[in-house]
Amino acid sequence: MSYIRNFAPWIVFAAVPSAHWQWGALAALLVTVATAAQDHRAGRGVDLLAHSTAAFFLVLTPIAFAAPDAGLHRYVGAASFAWLACTAWASLAVGNPFTLVIARRGTPREIWGLPMFMRVNVVITAVWATSFTLTAVAIYLVRADDLGTTAAIAAQVAGFAVPAIFTARYPAIVQARHVAS
């Protein structure tokens, strides 16, 4: 469930009709700020995904309002997934998978330092990064070939649903293998 919370700004942005993308960007920015404020008040700090999300919507929102008919509008879905892909790949490159912060919310502290905990998060983050990358390419191609909004929406839903399902199942699979061995 905490993944939904972390991706809430992106989901809000995707849920607003494309014709009103500037309002979707603003709503996503407000959700980002509210979530970060909650985390800060709770003493959790603000994680890499939250910083990255804030940066994306801080840049996109004024652009969207200044030029709502700009060419970027057509490709903003692909751009948002590309941004998420860069964030996920960068978190792996620096050895701090973005899923660690999220996983720690529901995992006892004594497990955080185990190599298997890190390995599971590396794998999960790699799945998210791959999904974001493939989704960015798919949405770009859908828009470039003018294949319609339904195809773009299907790609966006799959881009979040596939790694979310994997994330929900993979730790239990690893744990079952560990117990069996």
Side-chain angles (χ1 to χ4, degrees):
M1 192 57 104
S2 61
Y3 280 92
I4 292 173
R5 183 180 183 284
N6 280 69
F7 289 117
W10 301 95
I11 294 166
V12 166
F13 179 63
V16 173
S18 177
H20 306 290
W21 69 299
Q22 67 274 35
W23 294 104
L26 179 61
L29 179 58
L30 294 174
V31 169
T32 302
V33 170
T35 303
Q38 270 183 335
D39 285 345
H40 181 71
R41 278 193 305 275
R44 289 189 288 259
V46 180
D47 61 76
L48 174 65
L49 182 60
H51 284 288
S52 176
T53 299
F56 183 84
F57 289 113
L58 277 169
V59 171
L60 182 66
T61 302
I63 292 170
F65 276 99
D69 296 325
L72 173 62
H73 174 233
R74 180 176 180 83
Y75 295 101
V76 74
S80 65
F81 274 92
W83 184 269
L84 284 167
C86 289
T87 301
W89 290 119
S91 77
L92 288 170
V94 300
N96 189 19
F98 83 87
T99 59
L100 275 176
V101 171
I102 301 165
R104 286 178 178 148
R105 289 183 190 140
T107 306
R109 186 176 290 271
E110 60 270 11
I111 294 178
W112 295 3
L114 297 177
M116 185 57 68
F117 182 71
M118 176 62 97
R119 179 72 187 134
V120 165
N121 279 280
V122 166
V123 170
I124 290 172
T125 298
V127 168
W128 281 97
T130 301
S131 180
F132 292 151
T133 302
L134 295 174
T135 303
V137 170
I139 294 171
Y140 174 81
L141 293 173
V142 164
R143 292 298 186 201
D145 292 339
D146 206 21
L147 299 177
T149 302
T150 303
I153 291 170
Q156 287 178 345
V157 169
F160 278 115
V162 169
I165 291 167
F166 179 83
T167 299
R169 294 183 178 168
Y170 183 68
I173 292 168
V174 170
Q175 187 175 20
R177 285 183 194 157
H178 180 71
V179 169
S181 61

